[in-house]
Amino acid sequence: MFFFGIEHEVAFLNQDGKFADFSCTKFSDFQQIVDQLPFYPDDYPQLRVGDANIRRKRWYIEGFERFADSEEVIDCIGKGIEIRTTINSSIQDTINELNTSFNLLRQVANKFGFSPILISFNPYTSEFAPNPPLNEFEIKQLQADPDEQTAHIYMVSYGPDLNLSIANLPTDKLIDIGKKFTYYSPYIIPFTYSSPFLNGSVWEGLSVRTFIRNGKRPATLVFVENEEQVIKSIPSLTKVARIPAEIGRIEFKSCDSCDNFSIYAGLLALLKGLALDETLPGRAMIPNSELHKLSAQLGFDHEEIFTQAKQILEVAEIALQNDPDIHFLKPLKDMLVTKKTKSHQLIETFKQVSSIEQTLQQTYI
């Protein structure tokens, strides 16, 4: 039996129509939105709260936590608001919950002058430097976790975690599926490309986020029960579960964000099919950085990327057979026909309006 979940990061324009990142937005600006959103006690213990108590709800501020010279969190530099679904036994229920949570977020954010927009990489800066500089305790904390050393990347990028788990699956099989997802990541992620801007202008490719991020941060993360099951790698493929509900979870982390949630449904169905498949041979401990960069620049216009994407879609379709989730693959199949991603649409809109903000205002509609 499969279980599903989505973590979806949302960026905003503020009431002045400016991109609301850490350069102009305080933690309290985002927290006032989260404070007005509902709390569901029954969500726990399946959702992780964390020591800082920032993740108390289905919505929380995604950002960089600052510490004193101890475990005490003294600030959080926000980049946006993350929505996370609870654990669902069906893809449709997961998408329904995400839709409901997003609509609630948009309604409340609008009251404070914030408008959700789709972007997967900060369109104005590719750098994040903590101010004030990190203290000794913070440096030691980051050095202990290789993934945390790439805060300068995750603070300027926005993307989902597509989560699935399979009941009673042995750890070695979970890790094998994680390796499979990592290997085929460059061919899966073009379905989501939505980050064509860099430093205030149009970039030469389709996904700045993929070009900069992948190879340095995990493509897939598998949560295991104990330290003995962790396989050392940089970036990480495995991690010890922080709460019991995380044990056995496979997080696919490579995608750009989508404003059409049917694409997420298609990707969850694709991942489900790839997990069931026993024919594809590809496995990788760490992401292929060069192949991800090629994918980020050309997407489906590159022959190998297109051919492999078509193959894994066909393989997933065969693996799903009579599974009703097979119909979620249709938006992905349609995209392969046109070879057009969200980035193509954003670039075309930008050419017409000559404004990144005006372009982004036409997302989530």
Side-chain angles (χ1 to χ4, degrees):
M1 184 175 184
F2 281 81
F3 298 92
F4 307 92
I6 295 175
E7 299 165 60
H8 173 69
E9 292 181 334
V10 182
F12 295 88
L13 297 180
N14 63 22
Q15 59 187 359
D16 298 321
K18 186 177 180 180
F19 186 70
D21 66 0
F22 47 82
S23 68
C24 62
T25 313
K26 300 190 297 289
F27 179 85
S28 57
D29 294 328
F30 287 139
Q31 188 60 43
Q32 66 183 345
I33 298 170
V34 175
D35 287 343
Q36 296 298 312
L37 290 161
F39 175 72
Y40 302 99
D42 291 343
D43 285 356
Y44 306 91
Q46 62 175 291
L47 297 183
R48 187 175 74 92
V49 175
D51 297 334
N53 211 33
I54 293 171
R55 297 172 172 84
R56 287 188 61 252
K57 299 183 177 182
R58 295 182 184 182
W59 309 260
Y60 67 89
I61 297 169
E62 181 69 23
F64 185 78
E65 295 175 359
R66 299 303 309 267
F67 293 83
D69 55 359
S70 66
E71 295 284 349
E72 179 191 359
V73 176
I74 57 175
D75 193 13
C76 179
I77 303 168
K79 68 170 185 177
I81 295 177
E82 179 158 309
I83 303 169
R84 54 184 175 169
T85 69
T86 56
I87 301 170
N88 290 276
S89 58
S90 78
I91 293 174
Q92 188 62 63
D93 287 345
T94 307
I95 299 302
N96 290 346
E97 185 183 322
L98 179 60
N99 265 310
T100 298
S101 291
F102 176 79
N103 290 331
L104 277 170
L105 173 62
R106 172 153 51 186
Q107 291 168 20
V108 175
N110 285 342
K111 294 178 183 178
F112 294 99
F114 288 89
S115 304
I117 47 123
L118 175 71
I119 195 67
S120 295
F121 197 87
N122 190 309
Y124 293 107
T125 182
S126 57
E127 297 180 359
F128 167 74
N131 185 24
L134 300 177
N135 60 41
E136 288 186 15
F137 176 81
E138 291 173 318
I139 292 171
K140 288 180 180 178
Q141 288 283 93
L142 295 182
Q143 289 175 341
D145 186 342
D147 296 331
E148 291 300 324
Q149 295 174 33
T150 53
H152 62 288
I153 297 175
Y154 78 68
M155 280 299 289
V156 291
S157 66
Y158 301 79
D161 289 345
L162 302 177
N163 305 332
L164 74 159
S165 58
I166 309 168
N168 303 317
L169 200 66
T171 301
D172 60 343
K173 180 60 176 176
L174 287 167
I175 293 174
D176 185 66
I177 293 171
K179 290 178 180 178
K180 181 190 284 191
F181 289 177
T182 297
Y183 181 89
Y184 290 101
S185 170
Y187 316 117
I188 298 170
I189 53 181
F191 292 109
T192 66
Y193 284 163
S194 61
S195 53
F197 303 116
L198 179 65
N199 296 328
S201 186
V202 174
W203 186 57
E204 66 266 22
L206 300 172
S207 177
V208 174
R209 179 180 184 271
T210 297
F211 192 87
I212 291 176
R213 176 195 181 282
N214 278 291
K216 299 172 183 173
R217 289 185 62 80
T220 312
L221 203 54
V222 179
F223 286 92
V224 296
E225 187 171 3
N226 55 63
E227 191 67 40
E228 289 72 30
Q229 297 167 323
V230 170
I231 302 172
K232 299 296 183 183
S233 65
I234 299 177
S236 301
L237 175 68
T238 54
K239 188 173 184 175
V240 176
R242 295 156 295 186
I243 58 174
E246 281 186 339
I247 297 172
R249 176 183 298 174
I250 306 170
E251 291 187 353
F252 187 68
K253 306 175 75 69
S254 296
C255 295
D256 279 12
S257 289
C258 298
D259 60 350
N260 177 357
F261 295 154
S262 70
I263 300 297
Y264 286 158
L267 290 168
L268 285 174
L270 175 60
L271 294 175
K272 179 180 178 179
L274 294 182
L276 291 169
D277 164 70
E278 296 183 354
T279 65
L280 289 174
R283 302 291 188 275
M285 280 284 297
I286 60 174
N288 184 322
S289 182
E290 292 307 311
L291 198 53
H292 276 90
K293 287 181 178 179
L294 190 64
S295 177
Q297 290 172 302
L298 298 174
F300 296 132
D301 286 331
H302 188 275
E303 185 177 355
E304 180 187 352
I305 302 297
F306 174 79
T307 301
Q308 290 285 344
K310 187 171 183 290
Q311 180 192 11
I312 61 175
L313 201 54
E314 291 170 350
V315 165
E317 200 166 21
I318 292 169
L320 291 172
Q321 295 183 25
N322 297 321
D323 191 310
D325 286 344
I326 197 170
H327 80 276
F328 289 122
L329 296 176
K330 187 178 186 305
L332 307 187
K333 295 168 72 174
D334 292 343
M335 200 178 298
L336 279 182
V337 173
T338 65
K339 298 186 179 181
K340 300 298 182 184
T341 69
K342 186 70 178 185
S343 282
H344 288 93
Q345 181 182 330
L346 293 171
I347 292 167
E348 285 303 310
T349 302
F350 179 79
K351 288 178 180 178
Q352 296 169 18
V353 301
S354 301
S355 164
I356 289 176
E357 288 82 7
Q358 288 184 41
T359 298
L360 299 181
Q361 284 172 355
Q362 298 185 42
T363 58
Y364 287 119
I365 56 176

